Amino acid sequence: MPDDIPVIEPVAVEVEAAHTALLVMDITDPTCTKRASCVATVPAIAALLERCRAVGVRIIHTTGPAPSTFLNAVLPRPDEPVIAAKADKFFGSELELRLRESGSTTLILVGTSANGALLYTSFAAVVRGFTVAVAADCASSDSEAITRWALWQVLNQPGLPNATNTPLLAGRVTVTTSGTISIV
């Protein structure tokens, strides 16, 4: 991993509640609790989760393939699906079907393993035509450098880049923060 990966400047975005889904990825024990950086993101994830619930944004939680326990601050509600999958949450799962059925065209991604679940799921989403917003303050990995690299990579992915971080460029990834996401 290069040492000179630039710090990404998040941008504000505005999403439509009726066409947006929030994916809360792998905020489970022990996936999250073994990483101090993940635990530090939980309050921002929980606050965004509550804001999304209040306005009717579709919520989907993910976990790895092994059974896991969600952290109390982000417990799924009975009407919020839980998808078990490896790093690419679309691969071998019903995630795309659930998103299409709900009319979701924009995805907000939050969670741990920025260089795993967040990276691969964002790539898979844009390949499928979704527009993606990654909340940088709700993303974590084993180190700040790895998270910074993953955020740079989602903006500079081959074939579907958004290197200028243009807000909600169709079919691309935008890096934002939970506090600068407006939901209408």
Side-chain angles (χ1 to χ4, degrees):
M1 175 174 52
D3 293 330
D4 61 345
I5 296 294
V7 173
I8 302 300
E9 294 299 328
V11 295
V13 298
E14 182 178 278
V15 299
E16 295 179 18
H19 300 289
T20 300
L22 171 65
L23 273 61
V24 181
M25 297 185 291
D26 305 342
I27 305 301
T28 60
D29 181 39
T31 304
C32 184
T33 54
K34 70 180 180 181
R35 293 183 178 114
S37 62
C38 181
V39 172
T41 66
V42 171
I45 293 171
L48 179 59
L49 181 60
E50 288 308 311
R51 284 181 47 224
C52 287
R53 284 174 173 157
V55 295
V57 169
R58 172 92 164 147
I59 310 292
I60 299 176
H61 300 262
T62 73
T63 183
S68 298
T69 303
F70 288 93
L71 299 186
N72 285 335
V74 297
L75 282 173
R77 291 187 176 166
D79 64 332
E80 297 171 353
V82 175
I83 304 283
K86 292 186 179 182
D88 172 356
K89 301 304 181 179
F90 285 92
F91 185 76
S93 79
E94 59 189 39
L95 178 58
E96 183 174 10
L97 175 66
R98 288 183 176 264
L99 292 168
R100 300 276 185 218
E101 286 176 347
S102 70
S104 299
T105 56
T106 301
L107 310 180
I108 301 169
L109 302 185
V110 301
T112 196
S113 299
N115 58 319
L118 190 137
L119 180 68
Y120 294 113
T121 303
S122 69
F123 285 178
V126 297
V127 166
R128 288 167 171 81
F130 292 99
T131 300
V132 177
V134 172
D137 60 324
C138 298
S140 62
S141 64
D142 288 334
S143 75
E144 183 181 328
I146 291 170
T147 302
R148 190 174 71 238
W149 173 84
L151 293 173
W152 181 88
Q153 187 64 40
V154 300
L155 291 177
N156 292 279
Q157 61 182 287
L160 296 166
N162 183 12
T164 59
N165 203 23
T166 301
L168 297 181
L169 186 60
R172 303 293 200 276
V173 177
T174 300
V175 175
T176 186
T177 62
S178 62
T180 60
I181 298 172
S182 297
I183 306 168
V184 295

